Amino acid sequence: MMKILVVDDDPNILELVSIQLTQAGYTVERASNGFEALDLLEVGDPDLAVVDVMMPGMDGCTLTRQI
């Protein structure tokens, strides 16, 4: 089963996207910011990352460059 990392600082969007992907049959990991996402990436390797562009601390573009 494919694993998708969803990163968004808005808890409502994070929940909505996660529910939709789970219902579609994917395993979902969630992070509420870029730093949390990097921590999750140290212990796992998702097949895809869905990343919000505008987040405080570390924006989505910076996160994808780090990945």
Side-chain angles (χ1 to χ4, degrees), residues 9-21:
D9 61 316
D10 184 322
N12 294 321
I13 293 174
L14 187 62
E15 182 71 15
L16 178 65
V17 172
S18 297
I19 288 170
Q20 292 293 317
L21 290 171

Side-chain angles (χ1 to χ4, degrees), residues 37-58:
L38 289 176
D39 288 341
L40 288 173
L41 288 167
E42 287 183 11
V43 295
D45 191 20
D47 298 295
L48 176 72
V50 177
V51 180
D52 181 18
V53 173
M54 296 180 63
M55 295 184 292
M58 179 187 301

Side-chain angles (χ1 to χ4, degrees), residues 25-38:
Y26 299 102
T27 300
V28 177
E29 297 252 345
R30 298 192 273 183
S32 59
N33 60 58
F35 300 106
E36 189 178 319
L38 289 176

Side-chain angles (χ1 to χ4, degrees), residues 34-35 38 51-53 57-67:
F35 300 106
L38 289 176
V51 180
D52 181 18
V53 173
M58 179 187 301
D59 65 29
C61 293
T62 302
L63 173 59
T64 54
R65 282 193 295 272
Q66 292 280 333
I67 293 171

